[in-house]
Amino acid sequence: MNKENYIAVFDSGVGGISVLRHLVKALPSERFLYFGDSANAPYGTKTKEQVRALTFAAAEMLIKQGIKALVVACNTATSAAIEDLRKAYPKMIIIGIEPALKLAADKFPGGKLGVMATPMTLREEKFARLMERFDESCDIFKIPAPGLVELIESGKADSPETDALLRELFDPYPELDALVLGCTHYPFAAKSISRVLGDGVALLDGGDGTARETRRRLEEADLLAPASQEGYVLLQSSGNTEQFKFLAQKLLDK
Ligand code: DGL
């Protein structure tokens, strides 16, 4: 393993770019290889076995390119496959992302907390275990949001269509103190979400925590890139490359 190698960042599409933004800030000298599996998005409405197979295929393809760490910047893929990936690649630094429920419970003790995520993330055992740790001290509402990823993938994160979908989605729930954005696509719809819920509801996600954990793991393994190295991002996609690059660059702010 080599300090100059890429850190691979993987998601079903452009969602992981919300995590990549934090990674680039936390690790400015690193070279990132971002892979969006757009041809197979969305993952969140597939079965666990399908998502597990897609995640393994992406991980293998990225590991073959000579990377020093893999960030699974997708809550759905993390819940389907992270434990098996770590078993299959014991020497690789593999970081996953999970809904930032701990952060929300720490900030709003006893609060009403919504967790918005894909149907798969919310039905998986990994989330059940996470929820068990906090559901005695807080009121937790699971809010699956099918359809939202597709709108974000088509460049409509901040649009009347997204507002309409969210209005219907949040209608059955009581007023929340905080909403955990448990899918890496959702931070891109933050404006729409706040328009519908009101500015008083805090929106929390795991992007910053994941970037800090990646930095910590690289430091621990003495694999941080030399400070003199110029960091950059390489974008790859299994879908329409031009369309993917256009949207990814816009979301990355580059
Ligand atoms: N961005 C992914 C996540 O964090 C999943 C989106 C999808 O359904 O493909 O869960």
Side-chain angles (χ1 to χ4, degrees), residues 11-12 42-44 74-76 118 149 183-185:
D11 178 52
S12 62
Y43 278 11
C74 174
N75 294 264
T76 310
T118 67
V149 165
C183 164
T184 54
H185 281 73

